[in-house]
Structure formats: C-alpha cells, structure tokens
Amino acid sequence: MRGYAAFLGKELIEAVRTYKLFLMLVIFGVFGMSSPLLAKLTPQMIASVVSPELAATIPAPSAVDAWTQFYKNVGQLGLVILIIMFSGVLANELSKGTLVNVVTKGLSRGAVILAKLTSMVAIWTGSLVLAAGLTWVYTQYLFGSNALPHLVVSVVLLWVFGVFLLSLLVCAATLGSNNWVALLITVAVVAVGLVAGIIPAAYHYNPLSLASQNMALITGTVTLGDLWPAIGITLGLIVVLVAAAIGIFRRRVL
Amino acid sequence: MNEIGQYIPFLIPLAIAQVVLMVVAIVHIVRHRHYRFGSMALWIVVAVVFGFIGPVVYFVFGRDRDE
C-alpha cells in the first residue's frame, strides 16, 4: 500500500513535469468553452461566410446544440487525445528500464499498474469535470438554461467509457514494449465496437454506446433503461481488463 | 458582425487558453534543442500554424522523451 501511494505520487509528479496534466486541462478547457460558443455562433458564421438566406433557414440554436457540440468534441476528439496522451504509459519506462530498480526493491507489480491507472483516471476525471463545467456555465449564460434531462448521467457515462478506454490501454500496454502496440490494440478494439454498431439492436450491449448515445439520452430517444446492459458490460470489462493487466504484467520481462 | 461583438467576453478566455498553449509549446521548443524528429523551425511553424492541435502534437510526438 505504501508502495502504491509512493508510485502514485511519482506518476502525478511525472504528469505535471511532462506537461500532460497541463495539456489535458487546457485542451478540455478549450473544448468546454468552445462547444456552446460554436453552437451559438454557427448561424452568424454561416450568415457572414456563406449567405444570410441560408442562415435564416437554420433553426435558432439551443442548449441542446451546445451539448451536442460538447459530445462531438469531448466524446470523439477528446477521447482520441486522452488515448494518444497516455499511450506511452508503460512503454516509456519499459524502454528506459527504470521500472527494474523499483520492482527489484520490492514494489509490487500490481501496485505499478494500479498507480498508473489511478493517476490517468484522476487526470481524466479532472479534465472531464472542467470541460463539462465550462460548457454548463457557458450554456447557462449564452442560452439562459441548462434544463435538459439526464445531463449529469450522460456525462458520467462518458466518464465510465473513458475509464474503460484507459483500462484497455493499460492492459494492451502490458503486452508490448512499444507505445504503438498499446495504441493499435486499443484502436482495434474500438474499431470492433464501431463495426458492431452497424447492428441496430447491439447498442444495448455495446460499451461504445456510453460515448455515442449521450445526446440520444438527453433528447429522450434512448432511455437509461436501454443502456443498463452496456453499462454493466463496460464495468465488468474494466474489472477484467485491470485484472488481466496485473496478471500479464506479473509474468512479463521488464 | 455586431452580433459577434457581444460574445467577446466569452471569447477572451478561449483565446487566452489557446495563446498560453502556443507560448508554452514555443518556449519548450526553443529551450530543448533535441527532438524525436524534425527541427526547431519545423516545430515552431507547427505550433503557430496549427493553433490548437500543433502544440499537442509537439508535446506528444515531437518532444525528446529523455528530458
């Protein structure tokens, strides 16, 4: 436990010194601020760039559009950046051999994996809360209201999906010693999920629904009840992936 | 364009965040002369031209890992 706490501290200091924390907060902060602004200013931009006639045919933007932009930015590009940012989670230290020292001095390998996961989840949580909070504040000012159902739940679902991706990334990272291996496996699994999305009924069970059905949940075309199987499967997969990551990491050569 | 003028208070923090990102990247590029690939000139151009993505690409792919 002390090893875990010490290694977690080291991970967080590393996140600060390598600018990872700073980058994540600035990027997600920009996403959070720009989403409602983009929704609000789209008609004006079309009016000045294309033609006022076309802009007049577009319905006036609302808080729903602001959150649609939020899920477009954070739920797609944001998750891509999250994965790329942390793709070197194990590879950097494996290639430098710096883990050998601490592990031979008695730090358990499970603690290494858990501490790395904890620090990534903490940074993801902070970034997502910042982005969602800024979108909430901006939407409140620009559109006067945030009165949308399931707003918090849909953000929590996106958070769960982010944690799932990070667990997947850590598990994939234990399989190779190059950050491209981790990145490729993660992308491959997401691609499988995207292909499964072709089957209409699969969204009940697809973990990807947690990052793609958020607006459907807010607008009411999908209910939380529809997504329970997907939520359960995702949570189960997180546990399995973390256990697998620790199991594989215990057996591998550092 | 007057309609856009009223949103300037909302645009300022956004602009500040983007400028801070760019400046931090440029300072890092100038102070660390070793990159995984590319040259100082290339990375400065990337950080300035690709306002938002450029600095991120530099920090993730361009920065030398051992510093």
Side-chain angles (χ1 to χ4, degrees):
Chain A
M1 201 59 210
R2 270 187 62 202
Y4 166 79
F7 203 75
L8 178 59
K10 172 255 165 203
E11 281 295 314
L12 292 172
I13 292 169
E14 184 181 332
V16 172
R17 300 247 171 102
T18 56
Y19 294 83
K20 283 201 170 90
L21 182 65
F22 164 78
L23 284 171
M24 287 291 288
L25 291 178
V26 173
I27 292 165
F28 279 77
V30 168
F31 281 155
M33 286 186 278
S34 60
S35 301
L37 276 171
L38 209 57
K40 187 79 179 176
L41 295 177
T42 297
Q44 277 98 322
M45 285 192 282
I46 289 174
S48 61
V49 177
V50 190
S51 72
E53 292 78 31
L54 184 69
T57 63
I58 300 169
S62 66
V64 173
D65 297 300
W67 285 97
T68 306
Q69 283 295 334
F70 173 81
Y71 285 111
K72 249 189 213 164
N73 288 335
V74 176
Q76 293 173 13
L77 193 54
L79 289 173
V80 170
I81 289 173
L82 175 75
I83 294 305
I84 291 175
M85 192 78 79
F86 291 114
S87 62
V89 59
L90 275 173
N92 287 351
E93 279 168 291
L94 288 175
S95 65
K96 281 189 273 183
T98 44
L99 277 177
V100 176
N101 297 327
V102 285
V103 168
T104 49
K105 293 282 182 189
L107 178 66
S108 91
R109 291 179 177 216
V112 172
I113 296 292
L114 288 178
K116 282 185 177 292
L117 194 64
T118 312
S119 93
M120 291 193 295
V121 169
I123 293 169
W124 163 237
T125 309
S127 309
L128 186 64
V129 167
L130 179 70
L134 283 172
T135 296
W136 195 91
V137 170
Y138 268 54
T139 305
Q140 194 71 34
Y141 276 102
L142 292 172
F143 298 99
S145 157
N146 262 301
L148 298 169
H150 302 308
L151 203 55
V152 175
V153 175
S154 69
V155 175
V156 170
L157 292 187
L158 184 60
W159 178 80
V160 172
F161 186 73
V163 175
F164 164 71
L165 279 184
L166 292 172
S167 319
L168 179 61
L169 187 70
V170 162
C171 187
T174 58
L175 294 169
S177 41
N178 187 313
N179 57 349
W180 296 109
V181 176
L183 209 52
L184 271 177
I185 294 176
T186 308
V187 170
V189 172
V190 173
V192 170
L194 283 174
V195 171
I198 294 170
I199 309 162
Y203 83 91
H204 289 295
Y205 307 99
N206 196 336
L208 255 66
S209 299
L210 304 194
S212 60
Q213 301 291 332
N214 313 68
M215 278 322 289
L217 195 63
I218 287 174
T219 53
T221 50
V222 166
T223 65
L224 196 55
D226 293 331
L227 292 175
W228 275 126
I231 297 167
I233 287 172
T234 308
L235 292 175
L237 281 174
I238 291 173
V239 174
V240 170
L241 284 167
V242 173
I246 294 172
I248 296 165
F249 194 58
R250 282 216 174 110
R251 283 168 188 79
R252 72 162 288 159
V253 180
L254 285 181
Chain B
M1 295 300 274
N2 271 337
E3 289 108 344
I4 292 180
Q6 60 179 307
Y7 299 118
I8 282 178
F10 295 99
L11 290 166
I12 288 172
L14 193 60
I16 290 173
Q18 306 237 19
V19 169
V20 165
L21 197 60
M22 193 176 82
V23 169
V24 169
I26 290 171
V27 167
H28 197 279
I29 292 166
V30 173
R31 288 180 62 190
H32 301 77
R33 296 298 176 93
H34 300 280
Y35 317 105
R36 247 176 277 169
F37 58 88
S39 62
M40 187 167 84
L42 169 87
W43 283 117
I44 288 178
V45 169
V46 168
V48 173
V49 176
F50 301 97
F52 177 56
I53 295 296
V56 177
V57 171
Y58 167 69
F59 277 111
V60 176
F61 297 110
R63 176 185 50 196
D64 198 0
R65 224 182 255 153
D66 293 326
E67 293 195 49

